[in-house]
Amino acid sequence: MTKARLFDGLAVALAVEQHRSFTQAARALGVSAAAVSQSVRALERRLGLPLFQRTSRKVALTEAGRAFCERVRPAAEQVADAHEHLNDYRQRPVGHLRLTVPRIAFVPVLQPLLARFHSEFPEISLEVSLDDAAIGLERGFDAGIRFGAAVAEDMVGIRLTPDVRWCVFGAPAYFARRGRPRSLDELVRHECLIYRFPTSRALHRWELMRGRRVTPIDVRGRLVTDDSQSLIAMAVQGMGLTYSADLVALPEVVAGRLEPVLEQHGRRTPGLYLYFPRRMQSQTKLRAFIDLAKAQLRQPSASAGTASRR
């Protein structure tokens, strides 16, 4: 194999390995599935070994393909990182910014930013994956948004919102039908809407304050979902009580569609943070998003430390 062709097809093969699909790899690369298939076949011919097992239903790595991709991917990531660092020398932010965001954060954080970011940075394309599961940045994301307690210690974290209070909310129609709980003990007699964590599949226990102590409440309900935004929608319909951060429920409270109860038992936790690996903070595309978020959400900046919270 000549040195001139040493790198031909590597990015395509790694995309197929990542997506386990020629079609999805083609979509991610912005080329046709036929072009992806042709590039992989040419690479396999040069290597003298098949990298993928193809069936009508799935694409899997061969043993040789797995070993090859494991060795090649770190080098490919270093090359990609070198290309990203070229943005440091540009006069304006450019590139493709990928964010992973829980659905619960879209309305209070992203929705106010999207139109302005799109207008002010025409050379940055923005891709947002809305997913309540704990998605790792190793899947190709530049940054993510999570509540502060869920941000890993080895990440740089930049505060996007103040601390939040977790409270119980219900619709006026529900209270008219079932009454309002007057104490934490009365919650077990109410219909509650329950969240299930997508990754662990555990049910979210409601944690409220009894005096100065955090008290887990095992509520009951016939409706369980792993989509946080659906809980708000179902509560608005009067289907039960929901446990939510105040900044998430605020639009519905202002509109009169939800009302808080047991407010004296609300629990305060860290707000929403933008997080990313330290090595990524020099990217001008990410810096542009950070600066705009700080300006629009009016959050003060601070210097980063180890396991930073900025």
Side-chain angles (χ1 to χ4, degrees):
M1 184 186 303
T2 64
K3 290 185 178 180
R5 303 186 63 190
L6 187 61
F7 298 100
D8 288 359
L10 293 186
V12 176
L14 289 173
V16 175
E17 181 257 343
Q18 178 184 358
H19 295 282
R20 293 296 196 273
S21 165
F22 280 68
T23 301
Q24 291 184 26
R27 188 177 298 119
L29 295 170
V31 299
S32 68
V36 168
S37 181
Q38 182 179 356
S39 179
V40 169
R41 285 196 179 95
L43 177 61
E44 289 174 329
R45 282 195 300 269
R46 294 199 306 275
L47 295 173
L49 288 168
L51 300 178
F52 299 97
Q53 296 174 341
R54 307 165 178 81
T55 69
S56 58
R57 294 188 177 182
K58 66 178 183 179
V59 174
L61 286 166
T62 63
E63 182 179 5
R66 186 176 300 106
F68 181 77
C69 289
E70 286 176 355
R71 296 290 296 273
V72 169
R73 180 168 290 283
E77 289 175 349
Q78 288 183 357
V79 172
D81 193 52
H83 279 276
E84 288 291 348
H85 278 292
L86 290 178
N87 283 341
D88 295 344
Y89 300 95
R90 297 181 185 274
Q91 297 298 315
R92 57 190 183 279
V94 297
H96 185 62
L97 182 64
R98 298 187 71 229
L99 302 177
T100 172
V101 181
R103 288 180 175 85
I104 201 170
F106 181 79
V107 172
V109 173
L110 273 187
Q111 189 168 291
L113 297 177
L114 287 180
R116 185 174 170 188
F117 188 82
H118 186 262
S119 173
E120 292 191 11
F121 301 99
E123 294 183 85
I124 299 178
S125 56
L126 181 63
E127 180 180 343
V128 179
S129 174
L130 296 178
D131 199 323
D132 287 339
I135 302 298
L137 298 186
E138 66 272 8
R139 296 193 183 184
F141 295 103
D142 297 292
I145 294 176
R146 288 289 181 268
F147 284 105
V151 176
E153 289 297 316
D154 60 347
M155 294 286 167
V156 175
I158 293 181
R159 180 186 287 272
L160 297 177
T161 73
D163 288 350
V164 299
R165 290 184 76 244
W166 291 81
C167 301
V168 180
F169 298 88
Y174 177 87
F175 295 134
R177 188 174 71 254
R178 297 287 300 269
R180 293 171 177 265
R182 304 296 178 183
S183 69
L184 296 183
D185 296 331
E186 288 186 19
L187 283 174
V188 297
R189 298 197 290 271
H190 280 264
E191 181 72 28
C192 296
L193 306 170
I194 304 173
Y195 178 76
R196 186 186 295 280
F197 291 101
T199 304
S200 69
R201 306 308 296 164
L203 297 177
H204 188 197
R205 301 179 77 185
W206 294 14
E207 294 184 335
L208 295 161
M209 302 300 296
R210 196 187 293 271
R212 295 186 177 183
R213 286 189 173 184
V214 177
T215 303
I217 308 293
D218 291 316
V219 296
R220 301 171 184 173
R222 293 175 293 157
L223 287 170
V224 178
T225 179
D226 61 3
D227 180 78
S228 54
Q229 208 58 42
S230 296
L231 293 174
I232 297 292
M234 290 189 287
V236 167
Q237 294 299 313
M239 299 169 69
L241 302 178
T242 189
Y243 174 70
S244 178
D246 54 0
L247 68 87
V248 176
L250 181 62
E252 303 298 343
V253 172
V254 171
R257 292 186 287 264
L258 286 180
E259 298 174 3
V261 290
L262 302 173
E263 290 182 86
Q264 70 275 23
H265 297 289
R267 176 175 175 247
R268 188 172 296 278
T269 65
L272 289 163
Y273 282 75
L274 179 74
Y275 68 96
F276 47 86
R278 181 179 301 280
R279 64 183 178 83
M280 303 295 284
Q281 61 188 326
S282 61
Q283 293 186 108
T284 54
K285 62 182 181 181
L286 181 57
R287 196 78 246 169
F289 184 84
I290 292 169
D291 292 343
L292 178 64
K294 284 182 178 179
Q296 184 143 330
L297 299 172
R298 297 182 180 179
Q299 293 302 315
S301 62
S303 60
T306 302
S308 306
R309 292 291 178 272
R310 290 208 277 175

